[in-house]
């Protein structure tokens, strides 16, 4: 069984993430969306919230069959071993993503030489998107249509506004 792991913060999931999940789910028997728990950058949404937002987004577009959402902390390679996967999937937006992603891919390969990182070039419509940009726009009262999955847009934008209210 070909199992891929798509790791990230997903704080919250954007349409760019959803596009990568959809495309990866067509290439692998199973895609595990690995939501990092402990991170230096403090997430706005809890793991449970991020998980629920990912599942709701995925379910609303009907790709649930081979997608799982799991929490992980510690090393990604340890998570890969626990889930019998050797393939990390990452989305690449710009050349500026590349340096950081290249370093992570090489580090993960150093930790386990059998682990491969596969980069998927993001859909150009979402190439400017990031969770941080979405949070900033919501916080400042801008329109995030086309940035967040339709199924979660109202809830997420309201929650971001509430949580960033001074
Ligand atoms: O969405 P993000 O914040 O870019 O995701 C980064 C993430 C979670 C994929 C990365 O920080 C990660 O893999 N963390 C696990 C710690 C680890 O394994 N570090 C060594 C490899 S760089």
């Amino acid at each position: 069984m070909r199992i891929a792991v798509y790791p990230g913060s997903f704080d919250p999931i954007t349409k760019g993430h959803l596009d990568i999940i959809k495309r990866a789910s067509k290439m692998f028997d199973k895609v595990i969306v690995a939501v990092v728990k402990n991170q230096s950058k403090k997430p706005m949404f809890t793991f449970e919230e991020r998980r629920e937002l990912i599942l709701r987004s995925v379910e609303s577009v009907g790709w649930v069959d081979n997608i799982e959402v799991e929490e992980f902390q510690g090393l990604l390679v340890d998570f890969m071993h626990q889930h019998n996967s050797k393939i990390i999937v990452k989305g690449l937006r710009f050349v500026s993503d590349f340096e950081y992603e290249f370093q992570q891919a090489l580090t993960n390969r150093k930790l386990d030489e059998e682990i491969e990182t596969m980069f998927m070039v993001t859909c150009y419509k979402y190439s400017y998107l990031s969770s941080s940009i979405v949070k900033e726009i919501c916080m400042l009262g801008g329109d995030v249509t086309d940035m967040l999955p339709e199924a979660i847009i109202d809830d997420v934008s309201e929650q971001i506004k509430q949580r960033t209210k001074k």
Side-chain angles (χ1 to χ4, degrees):
M1 190 176 193
R2 293 166 310 148
I3 302 171
V5 169
Y6 178 36
S9 309
F10 306 101
D11 186 43
I13 183 173
T14 66
K15 273 198 165 178
H17 294 131
L18 192 57
D19 176 57
I20 298 288
I21 296 172
K22 173 189 174 184
R23 286 159 54 200
S25 76
K26 290 182 184 161
M27 298 169 60
F28 296 96
D29 298 313
K30 182 158 91 178
V31 175
I32 304 176
V33 182
V35 181
V36 69
K37 188 177 185 192
N38 285 350
Q39 235 184 347
S40 40
K41 44 182 181 183
K42 203 177 159 351
M44 178 177 285
F45 294 92
T46 64
F47 163 70
E48 286 72 21
E49 289 170 332
R50 288 180 280 160
R51 178 173 195 274
E52 193 273 326
L53 292 171
I54 295 168
L55 283 176
R56 215 187 325 156
S57 305
V58 165
E59 278 164 11
S60 72
V61 281
W63 309 313
V64 266
D65 287 358
N66 62 343
I67 295 160
E68 280 179 16
V69 183
E70 302 277 351
E71 178 178 37
F72 89 100
Q73 50 187 324
L75 285 176
L76 180 58
V77 291
D78 290 339
F79 180 89
M80 307 288 295
H81 298 152
Q82 285 152 17
H83 292 81
N84 297 316
S85 171
K86 293 189 188 305
I87 312 243
I88 299 168
V89 168
K90 287 289 194 89
L92 262 192
R93 291 165 299 186
F94 307 107
V95 179
S96 54
D97 278 347
F98 185 75
E99 204 174 329
Y100 171 71
E101 294 297 346
F102 191 71
Q103 185 185 28
Q104 290 204 19
L106 290 179
T107 307
N108 286 321
R109 179 141 26 103
K110 171 74 184 158
L111 294 172
D112 181 338
E113 64 182 16
E114 288 194 5
I115 288 187
E116 289 290 346
T117 302
M118 266 192 48
F119 292 109
M120 299 182 70
V121 173
T122 193
C123 179
Y124 78 96
K125 295 189 280 194
Y126 308 129
S127 59
Y128 65 95
L129 257 184
S130 71
S131 300
S132 317
I133 288 276
V134 169
K135 281 183 281 195
E136 184 170 330
I137 296 172
C138 276
M139 184 177 81
L140 300 172
D143 181 4
V144 289
T145 310
D146 292 337
M147 300 183 192
L148 290 170
E150 280 84 6
I152 63 167
I153 192 164
D154 291 343
D155 287 352
V156 169
S157 33
E158 190 50 38
Q159 279 161 6
I160 294 172
K161 278 183 210 149
Q162 291 298 329
R163 288 172 198 202
T164 52
K165 224 185 233 171
K166 288 271 153 44

